[in-house]
Amino acid sequence: MSSWHALPVQAVLRELDSSPDGLSAAEAGRRLTRHGPNALEATPAASPWRILAEQFRSLVVLLLLAAALVALLLGDVMESVAIGVVLMLNAGIGFAVELRARRAMEALLEYAAPTANVLREGAAVSVPAAELVPGDVVLVEAGDAVPADARLLEAWDLRVTEAALTGEFVPVLKAIDPVPEDAVPADRTSVLFMGTGVAAGRGTAVVVGTGVETELGRIGALVAGVEARRTPLERRLDALGRRLVWFTLGVALLVGGVGVLQGLPLRVMVETALALAVAAVPEGLPAVATITLAVGLSRMARRHALVRRLVAVESLGSTTVVCTDKTGTLTSGEMTVTRIAAPGWEVEVTGVGFDPAGEIRRGGAPVTPRADTPLGQFLRTTALCSEATLDPERGLVRGDPTDAALLVLAAKGGFGEGSGAEAPPEVEKVPFLSERPLTASLRREADGRTSVHVKGAPAEVVARCAARLDAEGGEAVLGAAERREIEALNDALSREGLRVIALARASEAGSDPLRELTFLGYAGITDPPASGVAETIEGLRRAGIRTVMITGDQPATAGAIARALGMIEEGSRVVEGRELTGLPREALEAVVAEAGAFARATPANKLDIVAALQARGEVVAMLGDGVNDAPALKRADVGVAMGGRGTDAARETAAVVLQDDRFPTIARAVEEGRVIFDNIRKFVFYLFSCNVAEVLVLLVAGVAGLPLPLLPLQILWLNLVTDTFPALALAMEPGEEGIMARPPRAPDAGILSRRFVRALFFYAGLITLVTLAVYLWALQTRGAAHANAAAFMTLALAQIFHLGNARSHDAVLSRKRAMANPWALASLPLVVGLQVAAVHTPALQRILGTAPLTPTEWGVVTAAALVPAVTGQALRWTRAHHSGPGRT
């Protein structure tokens, strides 16, 4: 049964065959056998072997494996081994990075309380929480973790912190009265949920759900049932791999057909096809992609974003919608008094959270309250009726969050602890009760009077007031008109999403200390937006990224924060989670396309919202910190959790963890993600233009009936050595100017756009042209051996000089841009040195089949190799000075 919250206490006990005295030990044992232990089931962690196997899922990697196998079957052991080494390097890097990252769901076990206090036949005993069964009666008090889902039997000022489970940042006042059956978990005040914490008071409750049958267990089942989606980068690389497969097969068939027509021997054709296959496949692509992501991971770590799954590094750069929890993500996660109001006056309070740094201001100017003014009297009562304690040096508090917020407010006004004024001793405390939602502190004043200081729900406190303060701080009779004015002020503050606390006092306690009070004013409490959040949301908007709030908090509170942050416009409605339940998919997609804020959202609602956005083609990043966020974090294209205040369940489910708990870090991570994808496109452009040039050189020579200008091992040398080092340098390229001023890429856009392919073939054609020109010149003047070496060297140098064309959409001739990436500069002498060794070192000459070049040949080779680079830079310079920057 899931509606225990809606049943009266006696009906619950009858259904469970229990009593207020609990179960007998024998009956508890029988039920434990029937229901099983009160423990959550963890999803088995991914094994190291599975993580290693996942490194070989890419189509590009599979194509390289096929090429290595073919080479081995043809007896080309050197080529097969070389390709295998590259694949092992790629797999090793990915495996090392991800091995420590794949641990989901186990964190939910952290929420099981180790022991529980229960009644067994009326006697209180402590038992392991895992042995609790439905029907057990548990005892809870301040500081306890709730050990199982339980229906309340008795409650004394019982307030429970449920933020991690429901998103409600204010401790929830619990009571035994039934609530409507359709109430969402955040509104089920008659039950306690496993894993929540008791903030104040005490109570007894009968266990109604254990283990996977708890609300926490149901969230765990949601998480386990969510299949993690492949990231945008994985999908794009697979699409690239499919194109590469067809390209390789097409080239091989074309060359085979030409060879058959020319009557060439079969072995020659097989060797030529193998050479073309080696040329077509960029062997360094998987390793360079993995290293680029690892570099991005390191950069993000320096920006306080830890990435748990390597391919997720780029995902943030593809994001089109950021869905985010409110409490602790957009807000500080700490209750803060931001307004003080009474009829005739109002002040604002600066500062965030439990740090006493801040000011009280009226009309923007700081106010120094005097003890005899209405504000001074309000602050004195605030300090005296708070049960929290404050450590001003560290900004730490102990006690109920509402009391803590009031105590911090008093400290900002110069009252309370550390003010130098001795607080009168407390002689009596009136506790908070569900039927009387207020507390009072009776104090012995220096002149012998007993003063009363009261805080509580506005309606309850105002009903007990007979007077109010006038402008000078004196008392005036509270008439009907003034009472209506006070009630209207409460309504106005509540509509702004503030939690309103009323304060009152009596100068001397009467026979009933809670009667004939003097109304002092209202404290408006909120969980305010964290610093930098509004600016970050605006920055994301400029980058074409929509931010959507999904919270379990109240609609009024969610709406106030969303409007303050510019997420929704004035008058826009906040959608409640219950409105989404049962909606057809099309209707749900229509709602999520427009709504900017969702309130009272359950974990299932959050999951549905993310899935509906994805169904519309959005790339979704989900930010959260609670257990209730875990299913949506797993479903999102990239889940982002808070590292400090976030729950273990959120951190372990997410792909990215923000170490500093700051929402602005997400914008920096998005920027880094965009830089990473830009750099991936740059090295893909570089590698493919180089490899297509190699294919075209062989293809044109074959069609023309010329000897092969390049040998298979020479091509492999170019792909593994000459191409890879410059491509790795592109992984270190800094971001382009204005990268966060452009819209996100279309979710279905691939790496190879039409313009990208046109540019790729243009430069590949230039490199092919100069390589064949040098080859033909050397073939006529120096013979086949020197012609082969000259073609080999021309192709290599043209590729390394072409690096400048790949580095930027604009010219890199300026000193600032040229020096922006020292890795690119360092790769130039490295590759040139390796190429010189390849043609002038006897050992490499024998392996690669090269010959040394003369000074004249070096001059011709160098001049020809510079043509593609000079052409590219000239075109970029011309475009920049005539039509502005463009894109490759």
Side-chain angles (χ1 to χ4, degrees), residues 586-672:
E586 296 78 11
L588 180 58
E589 289 179 21
V591 171
V592 302
E594 301 295 332
F598 297 87
R600 273 302 187 249
T602 65
N605 291 148
K606 295 186 177 189
L607 184 61
D608 288 343
I609 292 167
V610 170
L613 286 166
Q614 291 172 329
R616 289 180 49 81
E618 307 284 1
V619 176
V620 181
M622 174 72 198
L623 277 75
D625 58 5
V627 178
N628 59 331
D629 299 314
L633 287 171
K634 186 176 179 183
R635 170 69 195 216
D637 294 285
V638 53
V640 184
M642 295 299 177
R645 66 165 53 90
T647 60
D648 284 345
R651 286 193 297 264
E652 293 298 327
T653 306
V656 178
V657 177
L658 305 185
Q659 282 183 295
D660 57 2
D661 282 1
R662 299 188 68 246
F663 185 80
T665 303
I666 194 66
R668 296 196 293 270
V670 167
E671 180 182 2
E672 194 59 52

Side-chain angles (χ1 to χ4, degrees), residues 717-756:
W717 170 274
L718 292 173
N719 288 354
L720 298 182
V721 179
T722 311
D723 289 358
T724 302
F725 287 118
L728 284 173
L730 291 172
M732 310 300 293
E733 194 68 29
E736 300 278 345
E737 187 176 349
I739 195 169
M740 289 297 284
R742 69 193 194 206
R745 297 179 300 281
D748 58 350
I751 293 176
L752 301 179
S753 66
R754 289 184 179 179
R755 186 169 185 174
F756 184 96

Side-chain angles (χ1 to χ4, degrees), residues 22 162 369 424 434 472 521 604 609 674 690 695 794 827:
E162 298 180 342
S434 58
E472 286 72 38
I609 292 167
R674 289 189 173 190
C690 293
V695 169
T794 303
S827 67

Side-chain angles (χ1 to χ4, degrees), residues 269-480:
M269 291 313 307
V270 170
E271 289 181 353
T272 303
L274 177 61
L276 283 167
V278 172
V281 181
E283 282 80 1
L285 178 60
V288 175
T290 300
I291 292 170
T292 301
L293 293 174
V295 169
L297 183 149
S298 177
R299 286 177 174 174
M300 283 190 179
R302 290 196 294 271
R303 290 184 159 199
H304 307 292
L306 295 181
V307 179
R308 301 180 62 249
R309 187 168 176 239
L310 196 58
V311 289
V313 174
E314 182 273 339
S315 298
L316 282 170
S318 304
T319 298
T320 61
V321 177
V322 171
C323 293
T324 174
D325 184 30
K326 176 184 71 68
T327 304
T329 304
L330 298 177
T331 65
S332 68
E334 297 175 341
M335 296 177 67
T336 307
V337 177
T338 57
R339 299 268 286 285
I340 307 172
W345 63 273
E346 185 173 321
V347 295
E348 303 85 36
V349 185
T350 66
V352 175
F354 298 148
D355 185 346
E359 296 179 324
I360 298 175
R361 297 179 176 178
R362 180 182 284 116
V367 175
T368 303
R370 298 196 317 273
D372 58 344
T373 63
L375 177 58
Q377 293 185 57
F378 178 96
L379 291 173
R380 183 172 188 265
T381 287
T382 296
L384 294 179
C385 67
S386 173
E387 299 177 50
T389 58
L390 172 67
D391 181 347
E393 292 185 1
R394 294 188 293 170
L396 299 177
V397 296
R398 293 178 179 84
D400 180 79
T402 299
D403 282 349
L406 294 174
L407 188 61
V408 171
L409 168 65
K412 291 175 181 178
F415 291 79
E417 295 182 25
S419 64
E422 188 73 22
E426 186 175 65
V427 296
E428 186 180 347
K429 171 70 70 177
V430 179
F432 192 103
L433 300 176
S434 58
E435 63 271 18
R436 189 192 60 209
L438 58 78
T439 63
S441 176
L442 278 63
R443 302 278 180 161
R444 180 73 65 192
E445 302 288 349
D447 58 7
R449 291 180 296 108
T450 298
S451 60
V452 184
H453 303 272
V454 180
K455 71 174 187 300
E460 185 73 20
V461 173
V462 173
R464 297 171 182 273
C465 291
R468 62 180 177 84
L469 295 182
D470 59 26
E472 286 72 38
E475 295 188 2
V477 175
L478 185 61

